[in-house]
């Protein structure tokens, strides 16, 4: 399995932006399908965005047009650019790497959207 470390979370005002990073312990290029998930207090973990080995992306309806998932293969890092943030985006955001039925998760990074 691959080890994942998220960073970039914090406190931001509504309408603001953050960029989350997920650094992997080894190359993910064309090997792992990557994703970002989030979990708000009292709620189940939910899918935010995915990036396949072929480069195709998929977004939850509630982030379409606001969030962008991308990768830097040279740095073994996946990003989640979050714009136009809303209070309901407040959650712990987790990075996921998926390969052959096995998932690896990071420890999560807290995002709080509040004035």
């Amino acid at each position: 399995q691959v080890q994942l470390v998220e960073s970039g979370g914090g406190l931001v005002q509504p309408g603001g932006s953050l960029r989350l990073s997920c650094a992997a312990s080894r190359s993910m290029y064309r090997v792992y399908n990557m994703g970002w998930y989030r979990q708000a207090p009292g709620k189940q973990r939910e899918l935010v965005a995915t990036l396949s080995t072929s480069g195709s992306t998929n977004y939850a309806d509630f982030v379409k047009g606001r969030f962008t998932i991308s990768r830097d293969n040279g740095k073994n890092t996946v990003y989640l650019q979050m714009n136009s943030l809303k209070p309901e985006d407040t959650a712990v955001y987790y990075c996921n790497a998926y390969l052959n039925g096995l998932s690896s998760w990071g420890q999560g990074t807290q995002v709080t959207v509040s004035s």
Side-chain angles (χ1 to χ4, degrees), residues 6 9 12 29 46 55-56 61 77 85 87 92 97 103 107 109-110 114:
E6 300 100 333
V12 62
Y29 183 58
E46 60 185 358
S56 62
D61 286 343
T77 300
L85 283 161
V92 177
S103 273
Q107 82 290 349
T109 184
Q110 176 70 47
S114 175

Side-chain angles (χ1 to χ4, degrees), residues 8-12 18 20 109-113:
L11 174 64
V12 62
L18 282 175
L20 305 183
T109 184
Q110 176 70 47
V111 172
T112 302
V113 185

Side-chain angles (χ1 to χ4, degrees), residues 18-92:
L18 282 175
R19 189 178 77 159
L20 305 183
S21 299
C22 171
S25 58
R26 52 193 173 97
S27 178
M28 304 171 290
Y29 183 58
R30 294 194 181 277
V31 177
Y32 290 91
N33 293 296
M34 304 300 298
W36 285 97
Y37 292 72
R38 70 186 188 187
Q39 187 167 17
K43 295 187 177 181
Q44 289 189 331
R45 190 171 298 188
E46 60 185 358
L47 173 70
V48 176
T50 61
L51 176 59
S52 75
T53 54
S54 65
S56 62
T57 58
N58 182 54
Y59 296 93
D61 286 343
F62 53 77
V63 302
K64 281 183 179 178
R66 300 189 298 126
F67 292 10
T68 303
I69 188 171
S70 63
R71 71 200 311 164
D72 184 330
N73 296 319
K75 295 182 178 179
N76 295 339
T77 300
V78 174
Y79 303 99
L80 185 68
Q81 178 66 44
M82 306 186 296
N83 300 326
S84 302
L85 283 161
K86 306 175 181 179
E88 51 264 43
D89 294 318
T90 295
V92 177

